[in-house]
């Protein structure tokens, strides 16, 4: 245990599914937990995760920082990804990106 408690796992292998508001069910290839992180960390972790998945895979990013939520969708062009949707949950936003 570190000085500030348990180290947060920033990146998990994913698994599981998410249902978008359109009703489409997507399989999560990688999930990135950026809860409590501020810019630019969520953007850097998202870039890393998208780089590690295959074409057509979906990355789920959990963020609670409003500026990061706004910054992720415009990054998609440089990442070679498509922003599928951002869903607001009680404790965070879930941003879904699909790698081209």
């Amino acid at each position: 245990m570190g000085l500030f408690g348990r180290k947060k796992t920033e990146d998990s292998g994913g698994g599981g599914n998410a249902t978008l508001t359109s009703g489409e069910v997507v399989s999560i290839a990688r999930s990135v937990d950026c809860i409590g992180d501020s810019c630019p960390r969520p953007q850097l972790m998202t870039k890393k995760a998208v780089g590690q998945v295959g074409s057509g895979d979906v990355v789920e990013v959990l963020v609670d920082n409003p500026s990061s939520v706004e910054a992720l969708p415009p990054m998609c062009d440089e990442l070679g990804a498509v922003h599928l949707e951002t869903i607001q949950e009680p404790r965070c936003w879930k941003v879904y990106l699909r790698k081209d």
Side-chain angles (χ1 to χ4, degrees):
M1 184 183 299
L3 181 62
F4 298 105
R6 183 178 67 84
K7 183 176 189 275
K8 177 175 70 169
T9 302
E10 297 152 351
D11 189 6
S12 73
N17 295 316
T19 303
L20 305 179
T21 56
S22 67
E24 177 185 4
V25 177
V26 293
S27 178
I28 306 300
R30 179 141 344 228
S31 183
V32 183
D33 183 352
C34 296
I35 304 283
D37 295 333
S38 59
C39 295
R41 189 162 178 82
Q43 291 87 334
L44 295 172
M45 296 303 297
T46 300
K47 183 175 183 176
K48 178 181 176 184
V50 170
Q52 293 176 337
V53 299
S55 180
D57 286 345
V58 174
V59 174
E60 173 187 63
V61 185
L62 308 174
V63 290
D64 61 353
N65 181 319
S67 61
S68 295
V69 172
E70 294 174 6
L72 292 176
M75 288 177 48
C76 286
D77 285 340
E78 79 176 64
L79 297 177
V82 175
H83 174 245
L84 297 176
E85 187 166 16
T86 298
I87 299 174
Q88 187 170 7
E89 297 281 328
R91 72 178 260 255
C92 68
W93 286 273
K94 293 182 177 183
V95 182
Y96 295 98
L97 309 173
R98 178 178 285 136
K99 185 170 183 177
D100 290 338

